[in-house]
Amino acid sequence: MMRISKRALLTGLGCALLTSCTSPRVVSQAAFPEEVDESQACKLISAYRVAHGLSGLRLDPELEKAAAAQAMAMASTDTLSHTVAGSLRERLDADHIRNRAAAENVSAGYFTLADAIEGWRRSPPHKANLLDPMMRRMGIGSAYVQNSRFHVYWSLILAD
């Protein structure tokens, strides 16, 4: 069963794979992921950047769609990968999304936005993407699949 948020998918750079989630686990109804507030995600990531002397980010509807599509592609194939639907460059070019620089964080197994962001903050390559001074825009997406290895898949796309 696939559940998708009110914005086409639930709206989540690198592969922050949870090593504790390498095998399926039983999830109760109470553990289903929260719906993601994209504005809240932008505020949290922007605050993290500002605390490190960088500019905040703004939500970009095109990047939101691209991130949601990547999360859905990972969920529908039960695969944590940056390339399940093509490389980031290929996907952005196909969607005609302008950028000189872009980065993507993907992860799986986190049931809340706060946990997904914290996972990226603890991972050096993902943290580098979050704190890339060239980035100005973002889009975030997540998808939930009950009968899958990780249940929740996240994608965050950042661009200049």
Side-chain angles (χ1 to χ4, degrees):
M1 177 181 139
M2 189 164 295
R3 192 175 72 173
I4 304 171
S5 81
K6 62 188 177 224
R7 282 198 188 241
L9 300 172
L10 292 175
T11 304
L13 317 185
C15 290
L17 176 61
L18 288 173
T19 56
S20 63
C21 295
T22 56
S23 60
R25 57 187 171 149
V26 177
V27 189
S28 71
Q29 181 74 25
F32 284 1
E34 65 188 26
E35 284 199 19
V36 177
D37 179 338
E38 296 89 349
S39 296
Q40 182 64 18
C42 189
K43 286 177 189 174
L44 290 171
I45 294 169
S46 290
Y48 181 64
R49 289 173 54 86
V50 168
H52 286 83
L54 300 169
S55 66
L57 301 171
R58 68 176 171 80
L59 282 175
D60 181 299
E62 292 176 329
L63 293 177
E64 286 182 50
K65 288 178 192 173
Q70 177 65 8
M72 178 60 107
M74 291 187 300
S76 66
T77 60
D78 200 10
T79 304
L80 178 60
S81 169
H82 287 281
T83 59
V84 68
S87 71
L88 177 59
R89 174 62 44 214
E90 291 167 342
R91 289 180 276 126
L92 294 179
D93 287 349
D95 290 338
H96 307 290
I97 298 174
R98 271 185 351 104
N99 67 85
R100 290 170 301 203
E104 177 180 58
N105 286 357
V106 297
S107 62
Y110 295 107
F111 278 76
T112 68
L113 171 64
D115 289 343
I117 292 172
E118 183 57 28
W120 291 328
R121 288 172 53 170
R122 288 189 315 249
S123 163
H126 297 101
K127 181 178 179 177
N129 287 340
L130 291 172
L131 297 177
D132 186 328
M134 292 186 66
M135 302 306 159
R136 298 285 182 263
R137 302 174 291 142
M138 67 165 274
I140 191 166
S142 71
Y144 173 75
V145 181
Q146 183 176 3
N147 297 320
S148 68
R149 185 168 56 164
F150 300 110
H151 306 294
V152 185
Y153 296 80
W154 296 86
S155 173
L156 171 68
I157 300 176
L158 303 162
D160 61 347

